[in-house]
Amino acid sequence: MSTSAVNPKKRTGPVIFSEYNSGDGIKKAFSLKREDILFELKESKLKGRGGAGFPTSSKWMLTAAASSDKKFLICNADEGEPGTFKDRVLLQEYPELVFDGMVIGGYTIGAKYGIVYLRGEYEYIYESLQFYLQSMRKRNFLGNNILGSNFSFDIKIHLGAGAYVCGEETALIESLEGERGEPRNRPPYPVNTGYMGYPTVVNNVETLAAVPHIVCKSGKWFKKFGTDKSTGSKLFSVSGDCNKPGVYELPWGITIRELLNIVEAENTKAVQVGGASGICIPKSGFDRKLGYEDAATGGSVIVFNEKRNMLQVLKNFMEFFVEESCGQCTPCRIGNVKLLEGVEKIEKGNYTFSYINTLKELGNTMKVASKCGLGQSSPNSFISILENFKDEIFKSNGANNDRVG
Amino acid sequence: MTESDNIRVPVSQQPHSVIKSKKENGIGGLVSIQINEKAVMVPLGTTILEACRKNQIHIPTLCHHEDLCLAGLCRICVVDVEGMKTLQAACSFPITSPLKIHTSTPMVRKARRHIIDLILSEHCGECYSCIRNGNCELQALAKEYGVDGYRFGHVEQPRYSVDRSSVSVIRDLNKCILCRRCIRTCIDLQEVGVLEAIDRGDKTHIGTFLDKPLADVICINCGQCTNRCPTAALSTNDPSDEIWEAIDNPNKHVVIQTAPSPRAAIGEEFGVAPGKSFTGELNSALKRIGFDKVFDTNFTADLTIIEEGTELLNRLKKVLVNCDTSVKLPQFTSCSPGWIKFIEHFYPEYLDYLSTAKSPQQMFGAVIKTFYAKETGINPDDIVTVALMPCSAKKFECNRPEMNSSGYKDVDFGLTTREMATMIKEAGIYLPEMPKTGFDDPFGEASGAGLIFGATGGVMEAALRTVYELVTGREVPFKNLNIEPCRGFDGIKQASVKLENCVNEYSFLEGIDLKFLVAHGTANAKKVMQMLKRGELNDVHFVEIMACPGGCLGGGGQPIPTSAEIRRKRAQAIYEEEASLPIRKSHENPYVKYIYQKFLTEGPCGKLSHKLLHTHYTKRGRFIS
Amino acid sequence: MLTLEKNSLSEEIEELVSLYGENRGSLLEILGAIEKKYGYISEFAQQEVARLLNIHPVEVYSFISFFSFLHSKPQGRNMVRMCKTIACNMKGADNISAVIEKELGIKFGETTKNRRVTLEYTNCLGMCDCAPAMLVNGKIYTNLDVEKAIKIINELK
């Protein structure tokens, strides 16, 4: 019943789940100059796998170039986007990829300390990760003078305490500093002023897991997979109405239809790509490609079949944001409440179309005026679900045009 | 930010860590940007807001306050920066590269209007029943953006009960817009740490430790939060209804004392630019309102100087001559009630360093209900004493249980400048047009020394004028008696004056460098206390501390808004008024001499003085139970 | 609280502070450790942490109130966290929640009178592929149905 002792079943996939031996990436990296690693990374066009899709090589270069006696590398394992669980699988089954990626990152940017920010919900993985780190130390993949080089690096695991917004990198840093997990103003960006004010790289678990492969097999090899703008592969966390939910490693550029076939989804009405903060795609969009240039996702793919009530789905998402907003900035704190109230009004049939349009406009304001990615993306599902499923939603919930708001 | 340069700012709110060029005009010192198509040059690291303001482009703000560190959370100041996907908060965006900024695009205007609408949807209360009606930043914004309805609904029922537990500060969260200025004031500016954001998401609110009533946590009542709150979520506890009642009661003899800081600022409440004192006009207005007597707090400020100065000389003698190690030096001033509560909570083991002299407000109360009652033959029971103060902590001070040395409650009500202005308006008086009249006898004259108590360093300057002259028989060696090292708004000022050719009685001070230190704002007070703990004040003799930034003129009961510039102007008004006075030394005040001849016959620090004019303090500590 | 208890709690917190570091950056770890042992962070403990880290008590309280997994009020001996986010919701989590509520006679957000169980809703547990899921004292249970869930709840001491 408990999956805390999952027997590592070997998965297959083009990049992440391809053949890799613990420590290979570190050994290879140490035979290269830092610039060479950055070059390979740039060549690979690897982008952040958390969802925002910032080029990883740029982050690393900026931090490597920053002059500071201390630098930090943080692995963002605060995976909290509804429908995402790939990082859990990576940490449980492939910790060597993530930790080797961190050591390589530390070596490249000149950081001596790495921090894994593990979400509190994954506390049951904590011990096994500590155990793995200990084994790395024994093999001198971590600690002082790694593999006889003059590079020293160690990793500490911090447990979060149940706050979705801490997946936002500056909020994560704030909470590590003992402050409320509230996103910071940017600029300055963490690459300049991060943890404790020092230059800091924050990378997603999956991003770091790709690094050892790129170092071992070259950036050119990596970008063979995927599309021009979305190179490599992606771990998709598929859940909802399908026969084979789970984590799949597939090249970027695969269409939604292809993915639905792989996971054996039937009678699919809609697919939520990118979790609660992503967009909801109806049947007509199933030929859209998953990738940064079209339907971007941090990995979450939730499948809805014909029986699902899309308004209830939307309500669930909006309740999520109302609770998980950090409560700092006005558009996100109050805006999400208004969007949820709007959903409830539709539910009761107590709305006007002009008010719903006002709320959509509010959603557009939230997208541009919120302080961080949470508020900037929370209206996505509101806007896309009401737009793409208006027939279903407004037919069964007739408008009462006598009352405004 | 000169006053708050060294405050403990969270990393999140520190300005961008750009290395600013020392020479503004040197290479890399200036950045050329475009604001609404207009090309301008700004120093590297300037925020968009600062750049716009310098170029007369108005950007609305709510969470931004120039005394406080950056926040960037209300988002009302968003502007469009070309090349960026989202709008940027002008208040917290540092300019480090050539930018093209647009401050009034359709998207910007819509976003700002939406933000105002959202705030209004959660803001409970009607403007006409609000204490900040006419001086509310949210109301002003709603007007500016033509709000004519509640687009996103409106809260009808208050969600929070109003916290009236404190005698000084009232908290009404129903009106709170979560700009968090109060948090930044309390934690960063004042380092008291009463208020923080509690919970998250839609439940976020400003709260105290475990959401306890304000009176049960470590609040020093400085009221700086009430000065910076953009709405009426924080206000002072207004006693004017009770004061009106006393005035309207023919059996009550209602006297008011006015402190110099309110007089230098109250004009602002009537639309006059900061920097002008309305002392004479206020005297007439108060009489017309119906106060029976109007006295000048400066009279007891002079008395404070005599008592506190004498205490200092006594301490010096005990230490230097009697080698009494139980006597503490430096002596700290005790006239700021916010500072007193601060030290009682945070440094209770250092209470012996405080002068035992009461504040001028409390001395006045005690003198009125004893000496004045006796002189006039009025039953003290029928006297109601009101104190017009710049300060919300004065309300707490007059309610301290030990403040009844006259046998009655020495001061019945502490009234702030803002509350006074409302009373004057209510009486149908336009203050700036009132004729000037003097104060009432028997405390009519006061010296300029008492007047400058209003500015940081003023108590020190006044005390030095008297102490130096007592000790040496000569005036302080500063031009026009202006002791410049005491003046200005540096957080901590330190200086000394050499005592030479002392009179016989004080020969033990011959050749001594009398060292003094002046600090304002409790964040600076904290630094001073840390210096004291580290033994760095061992050779200092006298320390003046005021709880509020700028001293009393920046008090929590003063007109809103406040800024460094406004405080500077108020100080200017005080020093200008002072320079024109005939008597500028406390010990030369004839009425002070008179009271020592007639009433306090054992002299300064004598038995009766001790009973009426001195007090003791409570070790409160930090534990919140 | 008795003085003796207070003293031993103070000592414990002092040890935690020296273990994790006497700076604000240790706050999450220190509070996490206290929460783990006592199920909540008491009024006294909060003030002790504040004192030792040289921050204000309200900052500690503010921090605690921000995070779902930290509490400033006593909780039950067992903490049951039921996921209510979309994937679990689609697989009938709300039905299971309703049955658990009935079984224990309390609502989510409440603690049983005998302090045996506290029920809390939580957002996505990252177990969407084997929904519905719940965390019981930090341990994950997946592919729940009503029967399974009740059995787990009833076995709690």
Side-chain angles (χ1 to χ4, degrees), chain B residues 403-462:
Chain B
M403 292 297 180
N404 60 354
S405 43
S406 61
Y408 303 86
K409 190 180 174 192
D410 293 338
V411 174
D412 292 289
F413 302 107
L415 191 69
T416 67
T417 314
R418 297 195 293 269
E419 292 155 357
M420 184 83 259
T422 308
M423 285 184 78
I424 293 171
K425 287 175 191 165
E426 200 176 345
I429 296 166
Y430 180 63
L431 182 72
E433 286 175 356
M434 291 300 285
K436 292 183 185 185
T437 51
F439 288 100
D440 283 313
D441 283 337
F443 313 111
E445 288 298 309
S447 79
L451 190 78
I452 57 172
F453 266 50
T456 167
V459 176
M460 185 59 70
E461 180 166 350

Side-chain angles (χ1 to χ4, degrees), chain A residues 146-342:
Chain A
I146 295 176
L147 302 179
S149 69
N150 57 8
F151 173 66
S152 302
F153 185 79
D154 212 331
I155 296 174
K156 199 176 164 188
I157 304 173
H158 269 261
L159 264 181
Y164 166 75
V165 69
C166 287
E168 200 280 347
E169 58 179 1
T170 59
L172 185 155
I173 292 171
E174 283 282 291
S175 80
L176 281 179
E177 291 181 5
E179 305 276 350
R180 290 162 64 85
E182 292 173 346
R184 296 177 175 176
N185 293 309
R186 309 138 166 273
Y189 297 94
V191 288
N192 288 316
T193 309
Y195 180 55
M196 299 294 179
Y198 296 106
T200 304
V201 162
V202 183
N203 280 147
N204 178 262
V205 174
E206 185 185 343
T207 312
L208 288 165
V211 167
H213 288 296
I214 291 169
V215 167
C216 287
K217 297 167 195 163
S218 86
K220 228 175 191 168
W221 167 82
F222 181 84
K223 78 180 173 187
K224 276 197 312 199
F225 306 99
T227 69
D228 186 35
K229 281 187 179 156
S230 311
T231 56
S233 68
K234 181 77 188 95
L235 299 190
F236 295 101
S237 315
V238 186
S239 64
D241 297 318
C242 62
N243 291 329
K244 289 184 170 175
V247 172
Y248 293 84
E249 188 191 1
L250 298 165
W252 276 124
I254 187 172
T255 66
I256 293 170
R257 197 180 304 280
E258 287 164 334
L259 182 64
L260 288 173
N261 284 335
I262 294 171
V263 301
E264 294 178 12
E266 287 156 19
N267 298 324
T268 306
K269 172 163 75 175
V271 175
Q272 179 79 16
V273 176
S277 58
I279 50 167
C280 194
I281 297 174
K283 258 185 200 165
S284 58
F286 285 179
D287 287 321
R288 288 180 67 177
K289 288 178 175 173
L290 294 167
Y292 297 107
E293 55 269 64
D294 189 358
T297 171
S300 171
V301 175
I302 309 171
V303 184
F304 304 108
N305 69 18
E306 296 291 353
K307 286 182 198 155
R308 297 294 168 191
N309 177 337
M310 295 315 288
L311 192 67
Q312 291 308 313
V313 170
L314 176 57
K315 192 177 168 188
N316 189 286
F317 288 154
M318 293 324 299
E319 283 170 348
F320 173 82
F321 287 120
V322 165
E323 281 172 27
E324 295 293 347
S325 161
C326 79
Q328 187 185 189
C329 79
T330 317
C332 179
R333 182 186 69 245
I334 314 179
N336 281 310
V337 172
K338 294 300 151 191
L339 298 189
L340 175 61
E341 282 173 11

Side-chain angles (χ1 to χ4, degrees), chain B residues 525-544:
Chain B
K526 188 175 166 184
K527 281 187 203 139
V528 171
M529 292 313 287
Q530 283 161 350
M531 289 160 78
L532 178 68
K533 274 189 167 178
R534 291 194 299 263
E536 290 165 24
L537 301 185
N538 287 347
D539 58 347
V540 175
H541 303 103
F542 198 18
V543 177
E544 177 205 299

Side-chain angles (χ1 to χ4, degrees), chain B residues 82 87 118 127 169 219 343 408 535:
Chain B
E82 271 185 35
L87 302 177
L118 286 175
C127 287
V169 175
C219 173
I343 187 173
Y408 303 86

Side-chain angles (χ1 to χ4, degrees), chain C residues 85-101:
Chain C
T85 309
I86 191 72
C88 288
N89 178 278
M90 286 164 72
K91 303 284 177 188
D94 44 357
N95 184 36
I96 298 174
S97 302
V99 175
I100 294 176
E101 282 184 338

Side-chain angles (χ1 to χ4, degrees), chain B residues 277-479:
Chain B
S277 281
F278 285 90
T279 311
E281 291 87 341
L282 188 62
N283 288 342
S284 314
L286 294 176
K287 278 297 181 50
R288 195 179 286 182
I289 282 179
F291 286 101
D292 294 295
K293 296 282 175 188
V294 181
F295 298 134
D296 188 349
T297 304
N298 296 348
F299 167 75
T300 36
D302 284 336
L303 211 52
T304 301
I305 288 303
I306 305 296
E307 292 291 332
E308 205 166 6
T310 307
E311 184 185 353
L312 176 66
L313 291 171
N314 287 346
R315 284 196 194 210
L316 285 168
K317 188 169 185 187
K318 280 180 190 157
V319 171
L320 297 173
V321 181
N322 308 344
C323 300
D324 185 343
T325 49
S326 69
V327 174
K328 305 294 185 209
L329 279 176
Q331 175 176 305
F332 282 72
T333 60
S334 57
C335 31
S336 165
W339 152 240
I340 294 301
K341 192 133 186 283
F342 185 84
I343 187 173
E344 285 179 336
H345 281 301
F346 293 99
Y347 301 96
E349 65 276 30
Y350 291 92
L351 293 180
D352 290 345
Y353 287 81
L354 283 176
S355 161
T356 57
K358 282 183 186 170
S359 69
Q361 164 179 294
Q362 291 307 126
M363 284 196 183
F364 222 130
V367 167
I368 285 171
K369 292 201 178 175
T370 53
F371 173 68
Y372 173 78
K374 207 167 120 192
E375 291 256 305
T376 55
I378 302 171
N379 182 355
D381 222 2
D382 293 329
I383 301 178
V384 175
T385 53
V386 179
L388 169 59
M389 294 287 149
C391 179
S392 52
K394 287 283 174 194
K395 296 171 189 287
F396 179 85
E397 185 185 35
C398 76
N399 281 303
R400 280 175 175 256
E402 65 270 25
M403 292 297 180
N404 60 354
S405 43
S406 61
Y408 303 86
K409 190 180 174 192
D410 293 338
V411 174
D412 292 289
F413 302 107
L415 191 69
T416 67
T417 314
R418 297 195 293 269
E419 292 155 357
M420 184 83 259
T422 308
M423 285 184 78
I424 293 171
K425 287 175 191 165
E426 200 176 345
I429 296 166
Y430 180 63
L431 182 72
E433 286 175 356
M434 291 300 285
K436 292 183 185 185
T437 51
F439 288 100
D440 283 313
D441 283 337
F443 313 111
E445 288 298 309
S447 79
L451 190 78
I452 57 172
F453 266 50
T456 167
V459 176
M460 185 59 70
E461 180 166 350
L464 289 175
R465 286 180 191 170
T466 290
V467 168
Y468 188 89
E469 201 163 322
L470 279 179
V471 171
T472 65
R474 302 182 306 276
E475 285 192 341
V476 277
F478 289 91
K479 198 183 168 195

Side-chain angles (χ1 to χ4, degrees), chain B residues 6 40 137 175 326 394 466 477 555 569 573:
Chain B
N6 299 317
V40 291
E137 292 178 46
K175 291 174 178 167
S326 69
K394 287 283 174 194
T466 290
K569 291 244 173 77

